[in-house]
Structures are given as C-alpha cells and as structure tokens.
Amino acid sequence: MVEENLRKAAKTLFDEGKVKLIIGFEEGSLPMRASPAFIRSADETKRLTWNSFCENNLASYIRYYIPSLEDGERIGVVAKGCDARSLICLLKEKQFKREQIVIIGVKCQGMIDWKRIRDEVAPDDILEAKEEKDEIDVRTRSSQKKFKKSDYLYDNCQECDRREPVINDFIVEAAEQGTGKKDRWSRIKEFEQMTPEERWKYFKEETSRCIRCYACRNACPVCYCSECFVDSTMPYWVGTTLESSDVQVFHLIRALHTAGRCTYCGNCTQACPMGIDIAFLVGKLSKDVQELFSHEVGVDPDEPPALSAYSEKDSNEDFA
C-alpha cells in the first residue's frame, strides 16, 4: 500500500508539472538491497519502491543538483524521518530554498541491518529475501529461515524517536510505525560511563581499521564542501597517510565539523567497508550539542544552527 501511494503521489507531481526529478528508491540488484532511484518522468514512477532496506539518506544527493535548482528546476525527495531532518539542516545552511524542494514524507519503520542477516547465513549466499509483516524470509541454496525484523534494525534505528518526517509537503499514507525500542542515546550513555582511557582505547581500535576511502564523508548529507579539508594543500590541515595519527586526526576533525549538524542517520556507518561505527563517534557530539545548547538537529527549520548562534546562557564548560 505504501509503495502504491508513493508511486501515485510521484506521478501526480510529474503530471502537474511540479517537479523535473524525484529522488527515491528502487529495487536493488541483490536481495535485501534498495538503490537510490532518479526518476525523470511519470512513466518511470513505477520503478519506485519502499521497504525496510531503503537505508540511504537521500538528502545526500541534493548537492549534485544545486546547478539544476539554480536553473529553476524543482526536485522531489522521498524522505523518511532522518532524511527530512537532514533536509532541514541543509535548508538552514542555505544550500537550497524551501520552494525548490518537494518533500514526499514517508513514515519510517526502521531499516534492517542486512549485513547481520548475511553474516548469519554465511557462507551460503542469499538467493531470495521476502519482506513480510514482521519478518524477513530468507532463502539460501541449503536453507530457508525467517528473521524477526525488530531484532535486526540498525542500532541508530532502534534508538530513533523521529521516524515521522518533521517537515514535508505531504505524507504518503502508511501504518503507524512507532519508535525505536531502545532509549535515545542508550549506547552513547554507556560509552560515557567509560573512563577517558577506555574511551580513547575504543576510539583507537575503531579508527585503526580505517583505510581512508572517505566513503563516510561521501555518504554524509552534510559533507558538501566543494573542497574537503583532507584534500586541501593550502593550508595543509591533515596528513593523508594511514599512520594512526593521521587517521585519528581525520576522524576527530570530521566529527567536530558535523557537530550540531549530524542527525544520527547512520549513512556513514552503513557506507564504511571496514565496519567502523562512525555514526556512534559523531553521535556523541550530537548528544553534547543537544544537552549543552538545547538544540536538536533538524527539527525546527526556523531555529539557527547551534554552532552559528550565541546565547549568554550557553555553557562554556564540559564540551567534550
């Protein structure tokens, strides 16, 4: 039903001439995968899909269409809760004007961490996966097994309390999907109970696997700088080697760069080929910003970005 309503809404937008492009999802070429789809006509809207594998934050693709927006084109974006919050962040940073984007909101049910299911059936390859009401039915060459969806959501989806888009031009009808079953920031709260030495050990172990592919940066909806600090040679901000100090500095600077801007969507973690939980590292700063400045990222379009506003009530202590 959601998929049908989504296609109908998209077709209406094209038929009424309200958009030139819709960024949504289509079925991927492998089981348990959905790929970003770039729909250019009403006839192509039948490619649109919606399921528990539509994990990408589609706000990440807006940066590639800025020239089209400046030429007067309007773009439609299929947005779940975290996508919509990222769009608000980009809107406040004046990456586009509100009237240039049509937000097709979809209530999110939480996305499935397909790598966990893949690892459980390995070394068998998954030949087919069907999404049923509460389960994923997976078939391999030697077995068929069902996985309870709520047990295999991404960590950030299990903590999410903003699954419904906070900004939209219309919502595609869907059943109420509730919120994550874990408390917001539950894993980060556990991290905060560690000693500084234990935190640093965790950080070193995580970043030791980094190969500097920059997939995390490229997947991030708020990493849109025309020249990233890691590519700059004048000034030369950070070394580009795989020496631990260079890798650690890269992740520290990037985390600070996204502080107060990260919606904890998990795009960076999902993109990392080395399985580094980068969203967790950045999420700690989002939690700090929320607590220190009473600023929740991507919720209020009219509220100025936390780190570009000043209040005499701001705390100057304990920002760590």
Side-chain angles (χ1 to χ4, degrees):
M1 179 62 75
V2 177
E3 195 169 80
E4 182 181 334
N5 290 336
L6 176 62
R7 292 173 179 174
K8 183 178 178 182
K11 185 175 185 304
T12 300
L13 286 173
F14 279 113
D15 288 344
E16 295 178 353
K18 293 183 176 178
V19 296
K20 293 289 187 181
L21 167 71
I22 289 179
I23 305 174
F25 291 96
E26 63 184 340
E27 290 291 338
S29 57
L30 296 173
M32 299 196 299
R33 304 301 303 272
S35 300
F38 302 88
I39 307 297
R40 286 285 185 184
S41 70
D43 290 340
E44 293 181 9
T45 56
K46 64 187 70 171
R47 287 166 47 198
L48 287 171
T49 191
W50 180 260
N51 54 46
S52 295
F53 303 105
C54 298
E55 61 186 30
N56 300 76
N57 185 332
L58 298 182
S60 304
Y61 295 95
I62 295 295
R63 77 188 78 161
Y64 303 113
Y65 293 95
I66 297 299
S68 298
L69 295 175
E70 292 174 346
D71 286 342
E73 289 192 2
R74 295 183 78 202
I75 294 176
V77 181
V78 176
K80 48 189 178 295
C82 48
D83 304 50
R85 293 176 60 201
S86 295
L87 288 170
I88 289 177
C89 186
L90 296 174
L91 179 64
K92 292 198 291 188
E93 295 177 0
K94 304 187 186 307
Q95 292 305 297
F96 58 84
K97 297 176 181 176
R98 179 66 184 91
E99 61 270 21
Q100 294 174 319
I101 301 290
V102 178
I103 301 175
I104 309 167
V106 181
K107 293 179 181 177
C108 180
Q109 65 272 36
M111 294 296 143
I112 300 292
D113 187 348
W114 57 270
K115 293 176 185 174
R116 288 176 56 202
I117 296 178
R118 177 200 62 186
D119 292 346
E120 288 200 20
V121 301
D124 284 356
D125 292 329
I126 295 175
L127 302 179
E128 185 180 27
K130 294 181 181 176
E131 182 172 1
E132 300 172 348
K133 185 177 181 182
D134 299 315
E135 298 175 319
I136 304 295
D137 188 352
V138 174
R139 181 174 66 85
T140 70
R141 190 175 300 278
S142 62
S143 67
Q144 186 155 4
K145 186 176 180 181
K146 293 189 176 184
F147 296 84
K148 188 177 180 181
K149 290 198 292 188
S150 59
D151 291 338
Y152 288 87
L153 296 180
Y154 280 109
D155 289 331
N156 54 306
C157 293
Q158 294 192 37
E159 297 181 14
C160 181
D161 56 3
R162 294 281 186 185
R163 289 184 176 177
E164 184 170 345
V166 294
I167 185 173
N168 60 77
D169 291 292
F170 51 86
I171 285 278
V172 173
E173 290 298 328
E176 181 59 50
Q177 301 295 342
T179 60
K181 64 181 181 180
K182 293 185 178 179
D183 292 339
R184 183 75 166 161
W185 309 123
S186 58
R187 290 194 309 141
I188 292 176
K189 289 177 181 175
E190 292 176 5
F191 177 78
E192 291 173 335
Q193 298 305 311
M194 296 181 181
T195 65
E197 292 76 16
E198 290 172 332
R199 295 187 205 179
W200 180 242
K201 181 174 182 290
Y202 174 87
F203 176 73
K204 286 199 299 184
E205 289 177 351
E206 283 291 297
T207 56
S208 67
R209 302 198 302 277
C210 179
I211 57 175
R212 300 290 293 269
C213 68
Y214 303 131
C216 55
R217 176 194 66 181
N218 298 340
C220 178
V222 295
C223 277
Y224 55 76
C225 297
S226 57
E227 182 181 44
C228 180
F229 70 92
V230 296
D231 300 322
S232 172
T233 55
M234 293 182 67
Y236 191 63
W237 295 101
V238 59
T240 56
T241 75
L242 289 177
E243 291 291 328
S244 59
S245 59
D246 284 345
V247 173
Q248 290 163 7
V249 168
F250 161 66
H251 283 286
L252 288 170
I253 294 179
R254 184 175 175 278
L256 288 168
H257 187 52
T258 58
R261 306 167 65 231
C262 168
T263 62
Y264 205 37
C265 69
N267 241 26
C268 49
T269 295
Q270 293 152 16
C272 179
M274 303 307 292
I276 303 172
D277 194 352
I278 298 164
F280 179 76
L281 299 175
V282 178
K284 170 69 172 79
L285 292 185
S286 294
K287 178 175 179 292
D288 287 344
V289 169
Q290 185 169 328
E291 293 176 350
L292 291 169
F293 303 106
S294 301
H295 177 91
E296 186 175 359
V297 180
V299 173
D300 184 352
D302 299 320
E303 183 183 20
L307 301 187
S308 65
Y310 174 73
S311 167
E312 292 183 352
K313 297 179 180 179
D314 287 346
S315 170
N316 292 318
E317 303 294 333
D318 301 326
F319 188 74

